[in-house]
Amino acid sequence: MRLLFIFFLCTFSLQAQKLEVGANKPYKTIKQALKASNNGDTVLVHKGIYKEGNIRIDKKIVFLGKDFPVLDGQKKVEVLSIHADSVIVKGFRVINSGFAALEDPCGIKVYNKSFVVIEGNQLDDNFFGIYIQNGRNCIVKNNTIIAYGKEEQQIGNGIHAWKSNDLQIIGNSIKGHRDGIYFEFVYDSVIWRNIATNNIRYGLHFMFSSNDSYITNIFRNNGAGVAVMFSKDVTMINNYFDENWGASSYGLLLKEISDSYIYTNYFKNNTSGIYMEGTNRIKIEKNVFEGNGWAMKIQASCMDNEIVNNNFQGNTFDMGTNGSLVLNTFNNNYWDKYEGYDINRDGLGDVPYHPLSLFAVLVEKNPSAMLLFRSFMITLLDKSEKVLPSITPDNFVDNAPLMKPLKL
């Protein structure tokens, strides 16, 4: 049996071909080579500019570019369409897809297939960059995806995944799209080491997607960093959310999600580090909140969330809320505004800390009150509220705050 298997592999490898495309090669066009190819073949495209309209791959082949040949859609068509399992696309520069609001033309699109690998490509000025439709076990890795959208209605997403599972989105750089990465009905997938900057809406956007993880990504200077909506069991570890500024901008927006974990992330210089609405059973642990307008805004619709062992440093407001009932837990966080003492030297403050200031409550109800920020009257009101709380919720409290910041 083993000898028969080895014979089969040898026979298959002997049958596989390498079809070369280029000015001085056997095939002058990509479509000629694809037509002549069979499952298992490699189509090697040499440097040049190829304006062949929509290029369709419907065989299990390796599609390789040498010296980044250009596939140019001329603003008319979807550039590369994949209709076969186990296709590898690597080393191309894909540019100028068509633009259409209803058809969603892409630089590269996978249609209902599995085990497709899209790696090491450059995508420039496409409506959607890479689109996985109903895909399984696909990998999108080390691609550079750039667009030049000015309004979100006029541009698609950098990496868009719909109704898929077991995807790996790794090491991509995405800039200038509507959302850098967009997941809708995507399960059991990982987003790792990507950089999403200067996208119009979100660096990363989840909708109805559960059991996913995003780890060690950078979300910088987007309309907002990340939005996780209508999802559950999402793990968020070691990501950077910074320079996401605007009237409705957040480092991380959580809306109607549950049973998730936020661990060792960095929220720096955002309008709001985390904004939570309708979230339940989220553990927020060992994160850094630094230099934000609001470190966290926890709306009254949130409950059973645990905020533990985080550092809050240099934020204008540590907390904000729109209600008086607080059903969340704060434990052992470091607050740079804490003025308590530690008589027994156990590293924990002996006086509870109320991170919700009176002024934060006033600004939530009347944003124009920010004009009084840092005035003597507001400082006096905040000091008075700490001594005799009357407006801020009594149970919005860390009973054992850390005296020193955690080393994270």
Side-chain angles (χ1 to χ4, degrees):
M1 179 64 73
R2 184 178 179 183
L3 290 174
L4 181 62
F5 178 69
I6 293 172
F7 175 76
F8 171 78
L9 286 179
C10 292
T11 304
F12 182 80
S13 63
L14 288 172
Q15 291 177 342
Q17 306 177 75
K18 181 170 74 173
L19 296 83
E20 298 193 51
V21 181
N24 301 311
K25 303 300 175 183
Y27 296 93
K28 299 299 183 286
T29 70
I30 293 171
K31 289 185 176 179
Q32 287 175 347
L34 290 175
K35 185 176 181 180
S37 68
N38 296 299
N39 289 334
D41 287 349
T42 296
V43 174
L44 177 62
V45 182
H46 290 263
K47 187 174 183 178
I49 299 175
Y50 299 85
K51 300 179 180 180
E52 300 188 28
N54 173 245
I55 298 171
R56 177 187 173 106
I57 298 177
D58 54 12
K59 300 167 186 173
K60 297 181 180 181
I61 65 165
V62 177
F63 189 53
L64 294 181
K66 185 175 182 180
D67 299 323
F68 288 99
V70 176
L71 309 182
D72 188 351
Q74 299 180 281
K75 302 288 186 179
K76 297 177 182 178
V77 297
E78 180 169 283
V79 185
L80 184 61
S81 305
I82 299 173
H83 293 267
D85 294 328
S86 306
V87 172
I88 297 174
V89 177
K90 186 174 183 179
F92 289 92
R93 182 169 174 79
V94 182
I95 67 173
N96 298 332
S97 77
F99 283 69
L102 296 179
E103 297 178 1
D104 296 340
C106 309
I108 303 173
K109 188 169 183 179
V110 178
Y111 290 84
N112 312 317
K113 296 302 174 184
S114 303
F115 300 102
V116 174
V117 178
I118 301 170
E119 180 178 359
N121 301 284
Q122 301 171 355
L123 292 95
D124 194 307
D125 201 14
N126 299 288
F127 187 55
F128 281 73
I130 297 172
Y131 195 131
I132 309 294
Q133 173 185 296
N134 196 22
R136 304 286 183 272
N137 298 101
C138 296
I139 298 173
V140 179
K141 183 177 181 181
N142 295 343
N143 301 282
T144 300
I145 306 168
I146 299 175
Y148 308 94
K150 301 299 182 184
E151 297 181 6
E152 62 180 73
Q153 299 88 347
Q154 298 175 351
I155 193 71
N157 302 316
I159 298 174
H160 184 109
W162 177 80
K163 201 177 179 182
S164 300
N165 63 268
D166 296 290
L167 304 182
Q168 297 180 50
I169 312 298
I170 302 173
N172 302 281
S173 177
I174 311 112
K175 180 178 180 180
H177 279 272
R178 180 196 304 157
D179 295 335
I181 303 170
Y182 180 86
F183 272 18
E184 186 171 4
F185 301 109
V186 177
Y187 304 96
D188 303 309
S189 297
V190 64
I191 298 169
W192 181 41
R193 294 192 300 106
N194 302 277
I195 301 174
T197 61
N198 298 102
N199 295 288
I200 297 170
R201 190 167 61 177
Y202 301 111
L204 169 62
H205 191 181
F206 281 80
M207 293 287 288
F208 309 105
S209 297
S210 301
N211 300 304
D212 297 312
S213 300
Y214 65 95
I215 304 167
T216 317
N217 303 280
I218 296 174
F219 305 104
R220 176 173 294 137
N221 199 28
N222 301 285
V226 174
V228 183
M229 301 181 175
F230 308 103
S231 304
K232 64 180 181 178
D233 295 308
V234 179
T235 301
M236 314 167 220
I237 298 176
N238 200 36
N239 300 284
Y240 285 76
F241 306 80
D242 62 348
E243 301 295 339
N244 301 292
W245 293 106
S248 300
S249 189
Y250 321 99
L252 173 60
L253 168 63
L254 305 175
K255 183 176 176 62
E256 305 297 335
I257 81 161
S258 62
D259 303 296
S260 297
Y261 188 41
I262 301 172
Y263 180 73
T264 62
N265 299 279
Y266 293 80
F267 299 89
K268 296 186 178 182
N269 302 330
N270 305 283
T271 301
S272 297
I274 298 180
Y275 181 95
M276 302 168 64
E277 180 179 325
T279 65
N280 304 292
R281 299 179 301 280
I282 310 295
K283 187 170 186 178
I284 301 172
E285 180 180 13
K286 292 188 177 180
N287 303 279
V288 173
F289 297 86
E290 183 178 331
N292 303 284
W294 281 264
M296 297 180 66
K297 281 190 172 183
I298 305 177
Q299 303 301 78
S301 56
C302 303
M303 60 187 299
D304 296 327
N305 301 292
E306 184 179 0
I307 298 92
V308 57
N309 288 128
N310 302 280
N311 288 342
F312 293 85
Q313 300 169 280
N315 303 291
T316 303
F317 303 111
D318 290 325
M319 291 287 158
T321 189
N322 64 346
S324 58
L325 181 63
V326 180
L327 300 174
N328 306 288
T329 303
F330 300 86
N331 282 312
N332 304 138
N333 299 284
Y334 173 75
W335 313 88
D336 64 350
K337 299 180 179 66
Y338 180 60
E339 298 174 347
Y341 46 82
D342 178 19
I343 294 176
N344 62 1
R345 298 183 181 276
D346 65 352
L348 301 176
D350 298 335
V351 178
Y353 178 64
H354 294 264
L356 182 65
S357 69
L358 174 60
F359 190 44
V361 174
L362 295 176
V363 170
E364 184 70 31
K365 295 179 179 179
N366 187 1
S368 61
M370 272 301 296
L371 293 171
L372 301 175
F373 182 56
R374 297 194 189 281
S375 69
F376 173 74
M377 182 60 70
I378 292 301
T379 302
L380 184 61
L381 284 172
D382 272 338
K383 295 288 185 183
S384 302
E385 182 70 13
K386 287 181 180 180
V387 175
L388 296 171
S390 59
I391 295 177
T392 57
D394 291 338
N395 52 351
F396 213 119
V397 60
D398 189 334
N399 286 305
L402 296 175
M403 296 301 296
K404 294 181 180 180
L406 291 163
K407 294 181 180 180
L408 301 174

